[in-house]
Amino acid sequence: MIRRPPRSTPKPSSAASDVYKRQVIQGVVIQKYGTQTHPIVKTTKIKSTGITIASINNAKVRTVFEGQVMSILSFKNSNPTVLVKHGNYITAYKNLSKVYVKKGQYLNSKETIGEVFTNSQTGRTALQFSIFNAMKPENPSFWLYNK
C-alpha cells in the first residue's frame, strides 16, 4: 500500500490528564515536561524536554499523528529512537526494544511503530516521548488524548 505525505500539521489538544490510554502508549506519566525538582535530590532542578510514560512489558508504541519516519537512531549502549516528521513538527519515541518502521515510511495517526523496552534487571518499562516545533521542544502532554 502506498502512503501519502501528511495532509496537515497537527494541532495540540487543549488539555491532557496524567493517565493516557490507547494513543502513543498505554501507561502513566512518571516524568513530566519542563523544569522540576529532582525526585531524590530535592535541592536540584532537572529540565525535561519531553515526558516519560511507564507502561507494561512489550507495550506497542504508536504515532501521535500522521507523518513520515525521518530517522531511526541507534547509539552504542542505548535503545533505538524513532523520529517522525509531521509538517513543522518532529516527534521522538525513545527507548524501543523493537522497531517496525523504516526511514522514509509514511505513517497514519496511531500506527504502531515498535515496542517499548523493558529493563530485565529493574523490570522498568518506560517510553520517553518528545515533540519539537521547528527544533524547539513543546509539552507533549497537550498532544495526547484519552481515547
Side-chain angles (χ1 to χ4, degrees):
M1 175 162 102
I2 297 174
R3 294 223 167 94
R4 300 179 193 276
R7 291 174 292 238
S8 62
T9 299
K11 293 183 178 29
S13 63
S14 59
S17 74
D18 285 349
V19 179
Y20 303 109
K21 295 181 180 175
R22 292 176 286 183
Q23 73 289 332
V24 172
I25 190 172
Q26 184 174 345
V28 177
V29 174
I30 58 173
Q31 182 174 338
K32 295 182 179 185
Y33 173 85
T35 303
Q36 53 213 285
T37 303
H38 189 280
I40 297 171
V41 184
K42 302 296 183 191
T43 57
T44 302
K45 297 281 186 189
I46 57 174
K47 184 175 181 179
S48 174
T49 59
I51 61 175
T52 302
I53 304 171
S55 192
I56 59 172
N57 290 357
N58 304 316
K60 305 287 190 235
V61 178
R62 304 185 318 169
T63 59
V64 73
F65 195 80
E66 63 184 24
Q68 184 178 20
V69 178
M70 189 172 114
S71 184
I72 299 168
L73 307 174
S74 294
F75 301 105
K76 186 177 182 178
N77 299 322
S78 181
N79 296 315
T81 298
V82 173
L83 301 178
V84 180
K85 185 153 178 63
H86 318 270
N88 292 331
Y89 293 88
I90 296 170
T91 51
Y93 308 83
K94 184 177 180 184
N95 198 36
L96 302 177
S97 61
K98 295 181 183 174
V99 176
Y100 301 154
V101 296
K102 294 182 174 151
K103 183 178 178 179
Q105 181 177 343
Y106 289 101
L107 304 170
N108 294 316
S109 183
K110 301 186 206 175
E111 188 166 342
T112 301
I113 61 170
E115 293 179 17
V116 71
F117 174 78
T118 300
N119 184 311
S120 61
Q121 294 178 347
T122 64
R124 182 178 179 200
T125 303
L127 175 76
Q128 295 173 338
F129 176 62
S130 303
I131 293 183
F132 302 89
N133 180 3
M135 304 306 287
K136 181 181 174 200
E138 289 197 357
N139 188 343
S141 297
F142 297 127
W143 292 78
L144 304 179
Y145 44 89
N146 288 322
K147 293 185 181 181

